[in-house]
Amino acid sequence: MARRHLTHPLHLPLLSRNPLAPARRALCASSTPDAPAPAADAPVEGADPSPAAPAAPSNPPRREEPLHETVLHMIRRRQWTTRLENSIRLLSPTLDAPLVHAVISGAAAEGRADLALQFFRFAYRRAGFRPGRDTFALLVPALASRRMLNHARCLVLDTMPSFSLAPDEPTLAALIAAYGKAAIPQEAVKLFRMMPDLGIPRTALSYNAVLKAILCRGREAMARRIYNAMIAEGVAPDLSTYNTLIWGFGLCKKMETAVRVFGEMKGLGVTPDATTYNTLLNAWVRAGDLENARKVFDEMTGEGIERNSVSYNVMIKGYVKAKRVDEAVALFAEMGEKGLRLSEKTFAALMPGLCDDQGRVAEARKAVDDMAERRLTPKDKSVFLRLVRTLCTAGDLDGALEVHRKSSQFKHFLVDPRQYGVLMEGLCSGGKCDSAVEVLDELMEKGTLLSPKSPVLEPSAYNPVIEYLCNNGSTNKAETFFRQLMKKGVDDKAAFNSLIRGHAKEGVPEAAQEILAIMTRREVPTDPESHTLLVDSFLKKNDPAEAKTALDGMMQQGHLPSPALFKSVMEALFNDGRIQTASRVMKSMIEKGVTENMDMAHKILEALFMRGHVEEAIGRVNLMVENGCTPDLDKLLVGLCENDRVIEAQKLSDFALDRDFDVSFSTYDRVLEALYTEEKTLPAYSMLCKIKNKGGIVNQKGCDTLMASLKSEGYSKQADILSRILAENAPSTSKRGKRVAMGA
């Protein structure tokens, strides 16, 4: 059976995925001269010889993409390699000037001057393209505009001479201006002084470029020298020269010089235009002299110069800065009457004066509505921030919310995060915490806080809303918000403690403990109330071990837990069977000077003895005595005897006798009796000797029984010693019921 060749439909598009495939196939076909072209009426191999069916309606032909756009797409999407260069050669084996210029212009328009330079180098180094002066006139300004100044300089001074091309003045002027914008005036001056050596005559174009470059940095003395050299060389200054000088001297606040230049240009027959007057107007406003600025403003009409929007914008900004808002508003109204275009700069100049004055809030809101109608997007974010702050201060929270919503509706306008903060603070202060939470949701949804350039919110802005969320069961949301603030370097004690309290109240102590660990790492002071709530939360969750850990952390932070908190933790540990852990909590409590909860301490001591932890229990007894809270040893000893813990009772009795603690001899008798019953002969003998040495009274019958036991067990020497002790103390008639501790 012949093998059937199947073609999966999903495999077909793979043949056309490479956009260069048709070009490659066309090139291969054209490079084979022996392959005859098929006749127009020749049958296609494999086609059905039956009569053709009616043709289906064909799709409209696709518009061919221009070649330079295809090349741009390729160099934009792919890394520059030899393979990419070969692909470009397949598309166009020879690169002509229109194609190269179109690619350079397209890359420059997209702000990718680096791609334009890479393609230019490939074109003349590997593709045989010979650039002309017009090629460099396109490429050098593109590089200069993207601050690629060293590359542009090398093209002008090295690459162009290699092609026997002399740079022209416009290209050098563009490079000089770029050095000025980059705040490198010394390089601009070097290029300017190099022009005669390159054989390039200097006209007003290059003089204007270098004057602006050096005046940007405030070097007005050098600007004077270059201007004088310009006059000396016979180069006539034009209107742009004088505008540049007035602008530069105004920037340096050399108003006398600026006014003198303005008068000189008039004397030389150069007629000032609206740009000249606006430049001088701006210089006076910058200097803070609004009276002279107003004179220039009024003079424009007399000189036949029509005042435009720039003139009004400058004056409005000056009046607002000088707190003369009424005059600024009057000029704003005059602009509307004259039909001048109200631009974003107009509102940006006026709005600060309206927003900072509570009496003009209505006008400010009307101006915002006007901006929205005109679809003007303010570049200054502080405009809405000021208005929202003023409305919140005035108590108009609804108005502040409305302005905030409108600010979010402006196209391509990112709301200042501080505006959210001011609004949240005002809403929380006004009792509208739910609205503040909605504003917070909007802030977190937009992710504005995650931007590295976004400013940090004030504590008064985020603490009230965090506290509200933590008190109303939304601690997780509060923590998400605060963690974004932490990435900006915020370590606020109040916010941390609010989160701990919130998690503890909601029964999630693990999350609270994690927040506490972060505070400890960042050395942020903690609040004792937060620790207390954390301990209580673990206790409510029936996790006494973690409660004890939280209690230790509280003491490590320098906080003293309350007696009730100590008791709660000890009781929980005791009831959970963690006696030794409860004993350690008791030790910490006593060392901190807390002498309450002795009933709980007695239970822990008794449990330690009952479990055989005698050394630990005796150590706790000694600690209590040293801190002035002696336990009831009589009760302890009697309890041990009743529970048949005779050896533990004997060790505690020996400790009490050695330290002269306040223990009744009748209690000792009870211990001795238990020892007799358990036939603990030697321990009873040792204890009896200590009691007699302290002058205590013992039961004679019991002593006789003990001596008999010692002799029967082979301890004759101990029986003789005991007999002598009893004989020596026989005449004593002392009947002391208790032996008071000496030096306890």
Side-chain angles (χ1 to χ4, degrees), residues 49 80 155 252 285 298 316 367 369 413 433 442-443 515 555 585 603 612 629 647 679 738:
W80 197 281
L155 285 177
C252 303
V285 169
D298 295 336
I316 289 172
D369 295 338
F413 180 78
C433 296
E442 179 186 338
L443 172 62
I515 297 295
M555 290 185 285
V585 174
K603 287 183 180 180
C629 50
I647 296 300
E679 297 180 354
K738 275 195 172 185

Side-chain angles (χ1 to χ4, degrees), residues 40-53:
D41 54 352
V44 180
E45 183 180 357
D48 189 359
S50 60

Side-chain angles (χ1 to χ4, degrees), residues 178-475:
Y179 274 116
K181 290 180 181 178
I184 314 177
Q186 61 272 19
E187 293 297 328
V189 174
K190 283 182 185 178
L191 276 177
F192 176 75
R193 290 174 176 171
M194 200 184 294
M195 291 176 68
D197 298 335
L198 296 174
I200 304 171
R202 296 184 296 201
T203 66
L205 178 64
S206 53
Y207 272 102
N208 294 343
V210 74
L211 284 172
K212 189 169 185 178
I214 60 179
L215 284 171
C216 279
R217 305 302 295 169
R219 301 186 179 184
E220 45 92 17
M222 182 182 289
R224 286 197 192 100
R225 290 196 296 271
I226 290 179
Y227 174 70
N228 293 334
M230 180 181 184
I231 301 298
E233 288 184 11
V235 178
D238 58 7
L239 181 61
S240 179
T241 308
Y242 289 111
N243 289 345
T244 301
L245 289 172
I246 294 171
W247 168 81
F249 290 133
L251 193 67
C252 303
K253 295 187 178 180
K254 300 290 184 179
M255 291 310 301
E256 293 182 3
T257 309
V259 172
R260 187 166 62 250
V261 169
F262 182 72
E264 183 179 335
M265 70 179 293
K266 286 184 174 181
L268 293 175
V270 180
T271 305
D273 62 356
T275 303
T276 311
Y277 277 98
N278 289 337
T279 304
L280 183 60
L281 191 63
N282 188 47
W284 281 119
V285 169
R286 185 188 293 271
D289 191 344
L290 290 178
E291 304 306 323
N292 280 314
R294 186 71 194 202
K295 289 179 182 177
V296 173
F297 185 75
D298 295 336
E299 181 184 335
M300 292 177 69
T301 306
E303 294 292 330
I305 303 296
E306 187 69 27
R307 294 180 294 204
N308 54 22
S309 299
V310 177
S311 314
Y312 281 93
N313 293 345
V314 170
M315 288 301 300
I316 289 172
K317 185 176 182 179
Y319 280 132
V320 168
K321 188 176 180 181
K323 306 297 182 184
R324 295 163 63 173
V325 183
D326 291 335
E327 295 171 78
V329 172
L331 287 178
F332 181 79
E334 186 178 328
M335 289 182 70
E337 294 172 359
K338 289 188 174 183
L340 294 175
R341 189 176 74 89
L342 301 176
S343 64
E344 178 272 331
K345 294 182 178 179
T346 309
F347 288 96
L350 179 66
M351 288 297 288
L354 300 179
C355 295
D356 294 340
D357 188 356
Q358 292 187 15
R360 295 185 178 275
V361 168
E363 297 177 63
R365 293 182 63 179
K366 186 176 181 301
V368 170
D369 295 338
D370 198 2
M371 290 176 67
E373 289 179 5
R374 297 173 184 271
R375 297 183 180 180
L376 298 175
T377 302
K379 296 179 181 178
D380 186 6
K381 298 180 182 179
S382 66
V383 170
F384 292 106
L385 173 61
R386 290 179 174 183
L387 181 54
V388 169
R389 179 180 285 116
T390 303
L391 289 168
C392 289
T393 305
D396 187 3
L397 300 178
D398 294 333
L401 273 172
E402 184 181 351
V403 170
H404 173 73
R405 293 191 185 101
K406 285 185 178 179
S407 67
S408 304
Q409 295 171 0
F410 282 92
K411 192 175 182 181
H412 306 304
F413 180 78
L414 296 176
V415 180
D416 193 329
R418 291 172 296 181
Q419 180 176 319
Y420 288 96
V422 170
L423 190 56
M424 287 189 294
E425 180 183 356
L427 291 170
C428 289
S429 300
K432 295 189 174 184
C433 296
D434 292 333
S435 299
V437 172
E438 292 177 2
V439 173
L440 174 63
D441 291 340
E442 179 186 338
L443 172 62
M444 295 176 64
E445 181 183 352
K446 291 187 175 181
T448 310
L449 283 177
L450 300 177
S451 173
K453 296 181 180 179
S454 65
V456 182
L457 300 182
E458 295 293 329
S460 59
Y462 57 77
N463 273 330
V465 71
I466 288 177
E467 184 178 0
Y468 174 78
L469 288 171
C470 293
N471 291 336
N472 290 272
S474 298
T475 309

Side-chain angles (χ1 to χ4, degrees), residues 642-655:
E642 290 177 350
N643 289 283
D644 298 329
R645 310 301 292 187
V646 181
I647 296 300
E648 287 80 2
Q650 181 260 331
K651 290 182 179 179
L652 179 58
S653 299
D654 286 346
F655 177 74

